[in-house]
Amino acid sequence: MTQNQGTDPEAATRTDAAAFDDMLAELAERRQEFRELRYVPKDFVARLKRLGLYRASTPARFGGEPMPPADFLRQIERISAVDGSTGWVASFGSQLVYLGPLPLETQAELYADGPDVVFAGGLFPVQEAVPTERGFRVSGRWKFASGCMAADIICVGIPGDDSTAGKPRGVLVRPELLEIVRDWEVIGMRATGSFDLVAKDVEVGREWSFIRGGTPAIDEPLYRYPAITYAAQSLSVVSAGVARAALDFAEQTGSGRASITGAPKLADRPYYRAGIAEAEAALRSSRAYFYEAADEAWQAVVAGGQVSDEQNAHLRLSAAYLARTAAEVVTKVISLSGTAAIYSDHPLQSLLGDALVPQEHAFLSPAMYDAAGAVLMGRPPTVPAFR
């Protein structure tokens, strides 16, 4: 949040909104640069820091400004409507809640230089770790470390033991102790910098390890919101922003291009108007369910309670459904857009690539439908780490 606004909260809000809009304008100018780099550079991540996105899940006791999940998710959606990759990287501002199980002394050290901490991780495949007197000696290669090029701290995954009830551990490593292998050659989410991480005999103190999905040491409302579920929501909402961009493009350009065959403009064709309207309804409906579930769960938390299993099932289901619906919306827009959209430099092609990625994430896979259905019918979830 922008500081030094005196005692006028409305002035601070206006200033913050203007700063956010300025960031989006710069992003629109630089998104192609980021795609060519294949990552979002540190200078732009620093700008996201100044907007408060990387203190939005830092505990208040360590100077954070925890943001209600729906508020944070709406900001990520707006960024993603300009560039999905940057939205994906910014979404990790929610994931410091993962680190809630760390000892309080470790968290105090983590935030000693301030609450704006950029977290990235390559948790899988889980790699073996050798126990040492201090903690663990880790070696191996982990994939999909989105945002690692600008990270302040990086998590890698190691096996659990008898003390973790079968859950894997994460260990936190300073970026300079890892090799980043830039092997991210993809069609969608190209600028996320989801590179591989390599460690060679890196020793990590036990106090810098935590149980993935373990009980937080922090007792604050955001840390009672299910951490893995919040991560799933943060990735899913990126697809909503991408789909919004596709629909805006379709609605703005539909009336402006005549067919080379002499056929009517797209907006003059009934099938185009009806198809875009149907896609609009689908996206807005899935978003409404997504944010309704988020608001309901958050209200349970701020009232002093916990997110129920049924509420968590709706959070997971709505996140998976939004990601799938958004991908279908962008696909539908392209199918309605004629031959112009088949060219590789057409704006809809990059949006299609970005839209297809979130639904492929393990947190948003079709298995979530079965797991959510099981919980809603009073049965255990059918996938691990469901909350």
PDB file of all heavy atoms in Angstrom, residues 185-221:
ATOM      1  N   GLU A 185      10.475 -24.032 -22.218  1.00  0.00           N
ATOM      2  CA  GLU A 185      10.135 -23.838 -23.629  1.00  0.00           C
ATOM      3  C   GLU A 185       8.699 -24.288 -23.830  1.00  0.00           C
ATOM      4  O   GLU A 185       8.416 -25.479 -24.044  1.00  0.00           O
ATOM      5  CB  GLU A 185      11.089 -24.632 -24.520  1.00  0.00           C
ATOM      6  CG  GLU A 185      12.551 -24.205 -24.428  1.00  0.00           C
ATOM      7  CD  GLU A 185      12.799 -22.817 -25.010  1.00  0.00           C
ATOM      8  OE1 GLU A 185      11.907 -22.289 -25.700  1.00  0.00           O
ATOM      9  OE2 GLU A 185      13.888 -22.265 -24.760  1.00  0.00           O
ATOM     10  N   VAL A 186       7.774 -23.355 -23.735  1.00  0.00           N
ATOM     11  CA  VAL A 186       6.352 -23.675 -23.726  1.00  0.00           C
ATOM     12  C   VAL A 186       5.581 -22.688 -24.601  1.00  0.00           C
ATOM     13  O   VAL A 186       6.104 -21.650 -25.014  1.00  0.00           O
ATOM     14  CB  VAL A 186       5.789 -23.634 -22.289  1.00  0.00           C
ATOM     15  CG1 VAL A 186       6.348 -24.776 -21.449  1.00  0.00           C
ATOM     16  CG2 VAL A 186       6.082 -22.292 -21.625  1.00  0.00           C
ATOM     17  N   ILE A 187       4.330 -23.025 -24.848  1.00  0.00           N
ATOM     18  CA  ILE A 187       3.454 -22.153 -25.626  1.00  0.00           C
ATOM     19  C   ILE A 187       2.695 -21.194 -24.708  1.00  0.00           C
ATOM     20  O   ILE A 187       2.551 -20.011 -25.007  1.00  0.00           O
ATOM     21  CB  ILE A 187       2.472 -22.994 -26.461  1.00  0.00           C
ATOM     22  CG1 ILE A 187       3.229 -23.821 -27.496  1.00  0.00           C
ATOM     23  CG2 ILE A 187       1.436 -22.099 -27.148  1.00  0.00           C
ATOM     24  CD1 ILE A 187       2.367 -24.804 -28.246  1.00  0.00           C
ATOM     25  N   GLY A 188       2.193 -21.716 -23.587  1.00  0.00           N
ATOM     26  CA  GLY A 188       1.414 -20.896 -22.671  1.00  0.00           C
ATOM     27  C   GLY A 188       2.177 -20.521 -21.428  1.00  0.00           C
ATOM     28  O   GLY A 188       3.099 -21.220 -20.999  1.00  0.00           O
ATOM     29  N   MET A 189       1.805 -19.397 -20.812  1.00  0.00           N
ATOM     30  CA  MET A 189       2.464 -18.892 -19.607  1.00  0.00           C
ATOM     31  C   MET A 189       3.986 -18.862 -19.793  1.00  0.00           C
ATOM     32  O   MET A 189       4.758 -19.219 -18.902  1.00  0.00           O
ATOM     33  CB  MET A 189       2.089 -19.734 -18.389  1.00  0.00           C
ATOM     34  CG  MET A 189       0.624 -19.700 -18.038  1.00  0.00           C
ATOM     35  SD  MET A 189       0.080 -18.058 -17.482  1.00  0.00           S
ATOM     36  CE  MET A 189      -1.694 -18.308 -17.394  1.00  0.00           C
ATOM     37  N   ARG A 190       4.403 -18.371 -20.935  1.00  0.00           N
ATOM     38  CA  ARG A 190       5.809 -18.417 -21.319  1.00  0.00           C
ATOM     39  C   ARG A 190       6.695 -17.559 -20.413  1.00  0.00           C
ATOM     40  O   ARG A 190       7.861 -17.885 -20.185  1.00  0.00           O
ATOM     41  CB  ARG A 190       5.950 -17.967 -22.769  1.00  0.00           C
ATOM     42  CG  ARG A 190       7.378 -18.010 -23.296  1.00  0.00           C
ATOM     43  CD  ARG A 190       7.442 -17.750 -24.793  1.00  0.00           C
ATOM     44  NE  ARG A 190       8.823 -17.626 -25.238  1.00  0.00           N
ATOM     45  CZ  ARG A 190       9.631 -18.648 -25.487  1.00  0.00           C
ATOM     46  NH1 ARG A 190       9.190 -19.876 -25.322  1.00  0.00           N
ATOM     47  NH2 ARG A 190      10.874 -18.456 -25.888  1.00  0.00           N
ATOM     48  N   ALA A 191       6.162 -16.471 -19.867  1.00  0.00           N
ATOM     49  CA  ALA A 191       6.987 -15.547 -19.087  1.00  0.00           C
ATOM     50  C   ALA A 191       6.969 -15.846 -17.587  1.00  0.00           C
ATOM     51  O   ALA A 191       7.432 -15.022 -16.801  1.00  0.00           O
ATOM     52  CB  ALA A 191       6.549 -14.108 -19.327  1.00  0.00           C
ATOM     53  N   THR A 192       6.475 -17.005 -17.184  1.00  0.00           N
ATOM     54  CA  THR A 192       6.430 -17.306 -15.751  1.00  0.00           C
ATOM     55  C   THR A 192       7.787 -17.716 -15.203  1.00  0.00           C
ATOM     56  O   THR A 192       7.962 -17.798 -13.984  1.00  0.00           O
ATOM     57  CB  THR A 192       5.424 -18.432 -15.444  1.00  0.00           C
ATOM     58  OG1 THR A 192       5.787 -19.604 -16.179  1.00  0.00           O
ATOM     59  CG2 THR A 192       4.014 -18.000 -15.798  1.00  0.00           C
ATOM     60  N   GLY A 193       8.761 -18.000 -16.083  1.00  0.00           N
ATOM     61  CA  GLY A 193      10.067 -18.427 -15.595  1.00  0.00           C
ATOM     62  C   GLY A 193       9.978 -19.669 -14.736  1.00  0.00           C
ATOM     63  O   GLY A 193      10.651 -19.779 -13.705  1.00  0.00           O
ATOM     64  N   SER A 194       9.164 -20.634 -15.164  1.00  0.00           N
ATOM     65  CA  SER A 194       8.965 -21.856 -14.378  1.00  0.00           C
ATOM     66  C   SER A 194      10.096 -22.841 -14.642  1.00  0.00           C
ATOM     67  O   SER A 194       9.889 -23.956 -15.143  1.00  0.00           O
ATOM     68  CB  SER A 194       7.601 -22.468 -14.711  1.00  0.00           C
ATOM     69  OG  SER A 194       6.564 -21.558 -14.427  1.00  0.00           O
ATOM     70  N   PHE A 195      11.285 -22.409 -14.282  1.00  0.00           N
ATOM     71  CA  PHE A 195      12.494 -23.158 -14.599  1.00  0.00           C
ATOM     72  C   PHE A 195      12.736 -24.280 -13.592  1.00  0.00           C
ATOM     73  O   PHE A 195      12.066 -24.378 -12.565  1.00  0.00           O
ATOM     74  CB  PHE A 195      13.701 -22.206 -14.606  1.00  0.00           C
ATOM     75  CG  PHE A 195      13.594 -21.076 -15.593  1.00  0.00           C
ATOM     76  CD1 PHE A 195      13.893 -19.772 -15.216  1.00  0.00           C
ATOM     77  CD2 PHE A 195      13.191 -21.303 -16.897  1.00  0.00           C
ATOM     78  CE1 PHE A 195      13.815 -18.722 -16.123  1.00  0.00           C
ATOM     79  CE2 PHE A 195      13.103 -20.254 -17.819  1.00  0.00           C
ATOM     80  CZ  PHE A 195      13.420 -18.967 -17.422  1.00  0.00           C
ATOM     81  N   ASP A 196      13.720 -25.126 -13.914  1.00  0.00           N
ATOM     82  CA  ASP A 196      14.138 -26.187 -13.001  1.00  0.00           C
ATOM     83  C   ASP A 196      15.129 -25.627 -11.977  1.00  0.00           C
ATOM     84  O   ASP A 196      15.881 -24.686 -12.260  1.00  0.00           O
ATOM     85  CB  ASP A 196      14.818 -27.329 -13.756  1.00  0.00           C
ATOM     86  CG  ASP A 196      13.843 -28.191 -14.535  1.00  0.00           C
ATOM     87  OD1 ASP A 196      12.662 -27.810 -14.640  1.00  0.00           O
ATOM     88  OD2 ASP A 196      14.268 -29.254 -15.032  1.00  0.00           O
ATOM     89  N   LEU A 197      15.123 -26.245 -10.797  1.00  0.00           N
ATOM     90  CA  LEU A 197      16.072 -25.910  -9.739  1.00  0.00           C
ATOM     91  C   LEU A 197      16.978 -27.111  -9.482  1.00  0.00           C
ATOM     92  O   LEU A 197      16.503 -28.246  -9.431  1.00  0.00           O
ATOM     93  CB  LEU A 197      15.332 -25.572  -8.441  1.00  0.00           C
ATOM     94  CG  LEU A 197      14.307 -24.445  -8.500  1.00  0.00           C
ATOM     95  CD1 LEU A 197      13.535 -24.375  -7.189  1.00  0.00           C
ATOM     96  CD2 LEU A 197      14.991 -23.110  -8.791  1.00  0.00           C
ATOM     97  N   VAL A 198      18.248 -26.856  -9.301  1.00  0.00           N
ATOM     98  CA  VAL A 198      19.208 -27.926  -9.016  1.00  0.00           C
ATOM     99  C   VAL A 198      19.974 -27.573  -7.744  1.00  0.00           C
ATOM    100  O   VAL A 198      20.488 -26.463  -7.597  1.00  0.00           O
ATOM    101  CB  VAL A 198      20.197 -28.118 -10.185  1.00  0.00           C
ATOM    102  CG1 VAL A 198      21.251 -29.167  -9.821  1.00  0.00           C
ATOM    103  CG2 VAL A 198      19.448 -28.542 -11.456  1.00  0.00           C
ATOM    104  N   ALA A 199      20.030 -28.539  -6.827  1.00  0.00           N
ATOM    105  CA  ALA A 199      20.818 -28.398  -5.605  1.00  0.00           C
ATOM    106  C   ALA A 199      21.861 -29.501  -5.556  1.00  0.00           C
ATOM    107  O   ALA A 199      21.585 -30.641  -5.929  1.00  0.00           O
ATOM    108  CB  ALA A 199      19.912 -28.479  -4.381  1.00  0.00           C
ATOM    109  N   LYS A 200      23.043 -29.159  -5.091  1.00  0.00           N
ATOM    110  CA  LYS A 200      24.121 -30.133  -4.951  1.00  0.00           C
ATOM    111  C   LYS A 200      24.688 -30.022  -3.539  1.00  0.00           C
ATOM    112  O   LYS A 200      25.422 -29.092  -3.211  1.00  0.00           O
ATOM    113  CB  LYS A 200      25.211 -29.875  -5.995  1.00  0.00           C
ATOM    114  CG  LYS A 200      24.724 -30.053  -7.440  1.00  0.00           C
ATOM    115  CD  LYS A 200      25.829 -29.766  -8.444  1.00  0.00           C
ATOM    116  CE  LYS A 200      25.321 -29.930  -9.874  1.00  0.00           C
ATOM    117  NZ  LYS A 200      26.367 -29.606 -10.891  1.00  0.00           N
ATOM    118  N   ASP A 201      24.306 -30.986  -2.701  1.00  0.00           N
ATOM    119  CA  ASP A 201      24.813 -31.056  -1.319  1.00  0.00           C
ATOM    120  C   ASP A 201      24.630 -29.734  -0.574  1.00  0.00           C
ATOM    121  O   ASP A 201      25.567 -29.196   0.023  1.00  0.00           O
ATOM    122  CB  ASP A 201      26.295 -31.457  -1.312  1.00  0.00           C
ATOM    123  CG  ASP A 201      26.507 -32.881  -1.796  1.00  0.00           C
ATOM    124  OD1 ASP A 201      25.646 -33.730  -1.514  1.00  0.00           O
ATOM    125  OD2 ASP A 201      27.520 -33.134  -2.468  1.00  0.00           O
ATOM    126  N   VAL A 202      23.416 -29.238  -0.595  1.00  0.00           N
ATOM    127  CA  VAL A 202      23.095 -28.013   0.146  1.00  0.00           C
ATOM    128  C   VAL A 202      22.538 -28.405   1.510  1.00  0.00           C
ATOM    129  O   VAL A 202      21.543 -29.130   1.608  1.00  0.00           O
ATOM    130  CB  VAL A 202      22.068 -27.159  -0.623  1.00  0.00           C
ATOM    131  CG1 VAL A 202      21.658 -25.947   0.212  1.00  0.00           C
ATOM    132  CG2 VAL A 202      22.640 -26.717  -1.961  1.00  0.00           C
ATOM    133  N   GLU A 203      23.189 -27.938   2.563  1.00  0.00           N
ATOM    134  CA  GLU A 203      22.711 -28.261   3.907  1.00  0.00           C
ATOM    135  C   GLU A 203      21.750 -27.175   4.385  1.00  0.00           C
ATOM    136  O   GLU A 203      22.026 -25.978   4.267  1.00  0.00           O
ATOM    137  CB  GLU A 203      23.861 -28.406   4.895  1.00  0.00           C
ATOM    138  CG  GLU A 203      23.396 -28.943   6.245  1.00  0.00           C
ATOM    139  CD  GLU A 203      24.538 -29.320   7.176  1.00  0.00           C
ATOM    140  OE1 GLU A 203      25.682 -28.887   6.923  1.00  0.00           O
ATOM    141  OE2 GLU A 203      24.283 -30.042   8.157  1.00  0.00           O
ATOM    142  N   VAL A 204      20.619 -27.629   4.912  1.00  0.00           N
ATOM    143  CA  VAL A 204      19.576 -26.727   5.385  1.00  0.00           C
ATOM    144  C   VAL A 204      19.254 -27.079   6.828  1.00  0.00           C
ATOM    145  O   VAL A 204      19.043 -28.258   7.157  1.00  0.00           O
ATOM    146  CB  VAL A 204      18.303 -26.850   4.521  1.00  0.00           C
ATOM    147  CG1 VAL A 204      17.245 -25.862   4.992  1.00  0.00           C
ATOM    148  CG2 VAL A 204      18.621 -26.628   3.054  1.00  0.00           C
ATOM    149  N   GLY A 205      19.224 -26.086   7.684  1.00  0.00           N
ATOM    150  CA  GLY A 205      18.874 -26.317   9.079  1.00  0.00           C
ATOM    151  C   GLY A 205      17.447 -26.814   9.218  1.00  0.00           C
ATOM    152  O   GLY A 205      16.548 -26.394   8.464  1.00  0.00           O
ATOM    153  N   ARG A 206      17.210 -27.688  10.189  1.00  0.00           N
ATOM    154  CA  ARG A 206      15.871 -28.245  10.378  1.00  0.00           C
ATOM    155  C   ARG A 206      14.834 -27.150  10.623  1.00  0.00           C
ATOM    156  O   ARG A 206      13.669 -27.285  10.243  1.00  0.00           O
ATOM    157  CB  ARG A 206      15.893 -29.248  11.529  1.00  0.00           C
ATOM    158  CG  ARG A 206      14.543 -29.906  11.826  1.00  0.00           C
ATOM    159  CD  ARG A 206      14.675 -31.024  12.840  1.00  0.00           C
ATOM    160  NE  ARG A 206      15.367 -32.166  12.266  1.00  0.00           N
ATOM    161  CZ  ARG A 206      14.753 -33.153  11.618  1.00  0.00           C
ATOM    162  NH1 ARG A 206      13.438 -33.121  11.455  1.00  0.00           N
ATOM    163  NH2 ARG A 206      15.443 -34.163  11.140  1.00  0.00           N
ATOM    164  N   GLU A 207      15.264 -26.055  11.244  1.00  0.00           N
ATOM    165  CA  GLU A 207      14.316 -24.979  11.535  1.00  0.00           C
ATOM    166  C   GLU A 207      13.822 -24.278  10.270  1.00  0.00           C
ATOM    167  O   GLU A 207      12.834 -23.540  10.309  1.00  0.00           O
ATOM    168  CB  GLU A 207      14.952 -23.957  12.485  1.00  0.00           C
ATOM    169  CG  GLU A 207      16.054 -23.096  11.875  1.00  0.00           C
ATOM    170  CD  GLU A 207      17.423 -23.770  11.902  1.00  0.00           C
ATOM    171  OE1 GLU A 207      17.498 -24.989  12.156  1.00  0.00           O
ATOM    172  OE2 GLU A 207      18.430 -23.067  11.665  1.00  0.00           O
ATOM    173  N   TRP A 208      14.482 -24.509   9.152  1.00  0.00           N
ATOM    174  CA  TRP A 208      14.049 -23.946   7.875  1.00  0.00           C
ATOM    175  C   TRP A 208      13.256 -24.960   7.053  1.00  0.00           C
ATOM    176  O   TRP A 208      13.102 -24.811   5.845  1.00  0.00           O
ATOM    177  CB  TRP A 208      15.251 -23.431   7.086  1.00  0.00           C
ATOM    178  CG  TRP A 208      15.808 -22.175   7.680  1.00  0.00           C
ATOM    179  CD1 TRP A 208      16.826 -22.077   8.584  1.00  0.00           C
ATOM    180  CD2 TRP A 208      15.341 -20.847   7.455  1.00  0.00           C
ATOM    181  NE1 TRP A 208      17.035 -20.767   8.927  1.00  0.00           N
ATOM    182  CE2 TRP A 208      16.136 -19.979   8.241  1.00  0.00           C
ATOM    183  CE3 TRP A 208      14.340 -20.288   6.659  1.00  0.00           C
ATOM    184  CZ2 TRP A 208      15.949 -18.607   8.262  1.00  0.00           C
ATOM    185  CZ3 TRP A 208      14.149 -18.915   6.674  1.00  0.00           C
ATOM    186  CH2 TRP A 208      14.948 -18.089   7.462  1.00  0.00           C
ATOM    187  N   SER A 209      12.740 -25.973   7.712  1.00  0.00           N
ATOM    188  CA  SER A 209      11.881 -26.960   7.042  1.00  0.00           C
ATOM    189  C   SER A 209      10.490 -26.900   7.657  1.00  0.00           C
ATOM    190  O   SER A 209      10.304 -26.432   8.779  1.00  0.00           O
ATOM    191  CB  SER A 209      12.466 -28.373   7.192  1.00  0.00           C
ATOM    192  OG  SER A 209      12.334 -28.840   8.523  1.00  0.00           O
ATOM    193  N   PHE A 210       9.508 -27.366   6.920  1.00  0.00           N
ATOM    194  CA  PHE A 210       8.132 -27.374   7.407  1.00  0.00           C
ATOM    195  C   PHE A 210       7.378 -28.522   6.760  1.00  0.00           C
ATOM    196  O   PHE A 210       7.776 -29.041   5.711  1.00  0.00           O
ATOM    197  CB  PHE A 210       7.430 -26.041   7.108  1.00  0.00           C
ATOM    198  CG  PHE A 210       7.276 -25.741   5.640  1.00  0.00           C
ATOM    199  CD1 PHE A 210       6.103 -26.041   4.962  1.00  0.00           C
ATOM    200  CD2 PHE A 210       8.308 -25.147   4.916  1.00  0.00           C
ATOM    201  CE1 PHE A 210       5.961 -25.767   3.596  1.00  0.00           C
ATOM    202  CE2 PHE A 210       8.184 -24.868   3.571  1.00  0.00           C
ATOM    203  CZ  PHE A 210       6.997 -25.186   2.905  1.00  0.00           C
ATOM    204  N   ILE A 211       6.298 -28.925   7.368  1.00  0.00           N
ATOM    205  CA  ILE A 211       5.439 -29.963   6.817  1.00  0.00           C
ATOM    206  C   ILE A 211       4.456 -29.307   5.859  1.00  0.00           C
ATOM    207  O   ILE A 211       3.738 -28.376   6.231  1.00  0.00           O
ATOM    208  CB  ILE A 211       4.682 -30.701   7.939  1.00  0.00           C
ATOM    209  CG1 ILE A 211       5.669 -31.340   8.910  1.00  0.00           C
ATOM    210  CG2 ILE A 211       3.758 -31.761   7.343  1.00  0.00           C
ATOM    211  CD1 ILE A 211       5.005 -31.898  10.164  1.00  0.00           C
ATOM    212  N   ARG A 212       4.458 -29.782   4.630  1.00  0.00           N
ATOM    213  CA  ARG A 212       3.542 -29.207   3.634  1.00  0.00           C
ATOM    214  C   ARG A 212       2.092 -29.506   4.047  1.00  0.00           C
ATOM    215  O   ARG A 212       1.696 -30.655   4.167  1.00  0.00           O
ATOM    216  CB  ARG A 212       3.839 -29.790   2.257  1.00  0.00           C
ATOM    217  CG  ARG A 212       3.007 -29.203   1.134  1.00  0.00           C
ATOM    218  CD  ARG A 212       3.542 -29.668  -0.203  1.00  0.00           C
ATOM    219  NE  ARG A 212       2.694 -29.242  -1.307  1.00  0.00           N
ATOM    220  CZ  ARG A 212       1.721 -29.990  -1.838  1.00  0.00           C
ATOM    221  NH1 ARG A 212       1.504 -31.199  -1.374  1.00  0.00           N
ATOM    222  NH2 ARG A 212       1.000 -29.529  -2.835  1.00  0.00           N
ATOM    223  N   GLY A 213       1.338 -28.446   4.289  1.00  0.00           N
ATOM    224  CA  GLY A 213      -0.030 -28.619   4.769  1.00  0.00           C
ATOM    225  C   GLY A 213      -0.107 -28.834   6.266  1.00  0.00           C
ATOM    226  O   GLY A 213      -1.158 -29.232   6.788  1.00  0.00           O
ATOM    227  N   GLY A 214       0.993 -28.537   6.989  1.00  0.00           N
ATOM    228  CA  GLY A 214       1.008 -28.709   8.434  1.00  0.00           C
ATOM    229  C   GLY A 214       0.264 -27.599   9.164  1.00  0.00           C
ATOM    230  O   GLY A 214      -0.171 -26.609   8.569  1.00  0.00           O
ATOM    231  N   THR A 215       0.131 -27.760  10.477  1.00  0.00           N
ATOM    232  CA  THR A 215      -0.583 -26.777  11.290  1.00  0.00           C
ATOM    233  C   THR A 215       0.242 -25.504  11.425  1.00  0.00           C
ATOM    234  O   THR A 215       1.408 -25.557  11.817  1.00  0.00           O
ATOM    235  CB  THR A 215      -0.860 -27.346  12.695  1.00  0.00           C
ATOM    236  OG1 THR A 215      -1.619 -28.555  12.551  1.00  0.00           O
ATOM    237  CG2 THR A 215      -1.635 -26.358  13.539  1.00  0.00           C
ATOM    238  N   PRO A 216      -0.329 -24.341  11.104  1.00  0.00           N
ATOM    239  CA  PRO A 216       0.443 -23.095  11.198  1.00  0.00           C
ATOM    240  C   PRO A 216       0.800 -22.753  12.639  1.00  0.00           C
ATOM    241  O   PRO A 216       0.038 -23.036  13.576  1.00  0.00           O
ATOM    242  CB  PRO A 216      -0.508 -22.045  10.609  1.00  0.00           C
ATOM    243  CG  PRO A 216      -1.527 -22.810   9.832  1.00  0.00           C
ATOM    244  CD  PRO A 216      -1.666 -24.121  10.520  1.00  0.00           C
ATOM    245  N   ALA A 217       1.953 -22.119  12.813  1.00  0.00           N
ATOM    246  CA  ALA A 217       2.344 -21.582  14.112  1.00  0.00           C
ATOM    247  C   ALA A 217       1.732 -20.207  14.334  1.00  0.00           C
ATOM    248  O   ALA A 217       1.817 -19.661  15.432  1.00  0.00           O
ATOM    249  CB  ALA A 217       3.868 -21.496  14.202  1.00  0.00           C
ATOM    250  N   ILE A 218       1.135 -19.649  13.289  1.00  0.00           N
ATOM    251  CA  ILE A 218       0.529 -18.320  13.320  1.00  0.00           C
ATOM    252  C   ILE A 218      -0.970 -18.454  13.561  1.00  0.00           C
ATOM    253  O   ILE A 218      -1.643 -19.243  12.887  1.00  0.00           O
ATOM    254  CB  ILE A 218       0.754 -17.587  11.978  1.00  0.00           C
ATOM    255  CG1 ILE A 218       2.246 -17.423  11.698  1.00  0.00           C
ATOM    256  CG2 ILE A 218       0.044 -16.240  11.950  1.00  0.00           C
ATOM    257  CD1 ILE A 218       2.941 -16.458  12.599  1.00  0.00           C
ATOM    258  N   ASP A 219      -1.505 -17.690  14.486  1.00  0.00           N
ATOM    259  CA  ASP A 219      -2.948 -17.685  14.719  1.00  0.00           C
ATOM    260  C   ASP A 219      -3.509 -16.339  14.276  1.00  0.00           C
ATOM    261  O   ASP A 219      -3.713 -15.431  15.072  1.00  0.00           O
ATOM    262  CB  ASP A 219      -3.265 -17.952  16.187  1.00  0.00           C
ATOM    263  CG  ASP A 219      -4.777 -18.066  16.436  1.00  0.00           C
ATOM    264  OD1 ASP A 219      -5.512 -18.304  15.450  1.00  0.00           O
ATOM    265  OD2 ASP A 219      -5.206 -17.916  17.589  1.00  0.00           O
ATOM    266  N   GLU A 220      -3.688 -16.211  12.964  1.00  0.00           N
ATOM    267  CA  GLU A 220      -4.318 -15.039  12.360  1.00  0.00           C
ATOM    268  C   GLU A 220      -5.346 -15.533  11.361  1.00  0.00           C
ATOM    269  O   GLU A 220      -5.221 -16.660  10.858  1.00  0.00           O
ATOM    270  CB  GLU A 220      -3.273 -14.163  11.664  1.00  0.00           C
ATOM    271  CG  GLU A 220      -2.279 -13.524  12.618  1.00  0.00           C
ATOM    272  CD  GLU A 220      -1.261 -12.642  11.900  1.00  0.00           C
ATOM    273  OE1 GLU A 220      -1.441 -12.347  10.692  1.00  0.00           O
ATOM    274  OE2 GLU A 220      -0.281 -12.251  12.552  1.00  0.00           O
ATOM    275  N   PRO A 221      -6.367 -14.736  11.053  1.00  0.00           N
ATOM    276  CA  PRO A 221      -7.443 -15.228  10.186  1.00  0.00           C
ATOM    277  C   PRO A 221      -6.958 -15.852   8.878  1.00  0.00           C
ATOM    278  O   PRO A 221      -7.419 -16.939   8.507  1.00  0.00           O
ATOM    279  CB  PRO A 221      -8.300 -13.977   9.941  1.00  0.00           C
ATOM    280  CG  PRO A 221      -8.114 -13.171  11.185  1.00  0.00           C
ATOM    281  CD  PRO A 221      -6.684 -13.390  11.586  1.00  0.00           C
TER     282      PRO A 221
END
